[in-house]
Amino acid sequence: MEACFQRLWSLKEAYIKARGDGLGFSPLSRAEFAFERDVRGGSTVGGGAAVLWLDGELRRSWCFELGRLGGDHVVCVARGPPREIVDAFGAFTATFGRFGLSDEELGKHVRGCPGPPFTVLQVSALLEMLGGGPAEEAGH
């Protein structure tokens, strides 16, 4: 039960962050998810792909990839159409090279891309990557 909650929460969090409205998206119950293997009659335990139902309508324009980091952590990456981004001040969308993608182009870039790989790193390794040396040297 806890694993299912973690996956669903990660999906909802990734979706509202990708849209740009975060917790301003209300109510969260508008977004429902089904795991693609569940839809096809199989089952998922860890990662996998999911589909979005928004306000009762299947939204194939969004792509969600779930993965596990370590034993108890779930990560989700959400990709969707730029036209659905909520950008109150226009600063984020101003960085887009192209805002309007056709459904065909969007499908190629959203559905045609594999999920990004994730690597678990310790804080000390991150500090070393930033040139700060080991955590002990940084006073942590």
Side-chain angles (χ1 to χ4, degrees):
M1 182 66 92
E2 184 177 339
C4 185
F5 170 79
Q6 288 176 333
R7 291 188 305 160
L8 290 171
W9 183 258
S10 293
L11 285 160
K12 287 189 181 213
E13 185 175 23
Y15 175 64
I16 63 176
K17 286 182 178 180
R19 281 178 43 99
D21 49 3
L23 292 176
F25 179 85
S26 181
L28 282 174
S29 60
R30 292 178 50 209
E32 300 177 55
F33 296 89
F35 301 102
E36 290 200 337
R37 281 184 261 166
D38 291 344
V39 171
R40 290 188 228 125
S43 65
T44 58
V45 176
V51 294
L52 167 67
W53 291 81
L54 182 63
D55 298 325
E57 179 184 329
L58 179 61
R59 302 296 296 271
R60 287 273 181 198
S61 59
W62 282 86
C63 179
F64 300 87
E65 287 292 327
L66 287 128
R68 286 217 167 264
L69 293 178
D72 297 329
H73 303 282
V74 177
V75 63
C76 179
V77 175
R79 297 182 214 149
R83 65 183 170 268
E84 293 186 27
I85 291 174
V86 178
D87 186 2
F89 302 106
F92 178 64
T93 53
T95 66
F96 291 2
R98 284 184 55 209
F99 189 78
L101 297 173
S102 69
D103 288 340
E104 182 179 318
E105 290 173 304
L106 185 63
K108 183 173 84 174
H109 293 288
V110 171
R111 289 258 171 228
C113 298
F118 290 95
T119 304
V120 178
L121 296 173
Q122 299 296 320
V123 172
S124 58
L126 292 172
L127 290 172
E128 287 181 35
M129 290 170 63
L130 294 171
E136 296 81 31
E137 292 176 16
H140 297 282

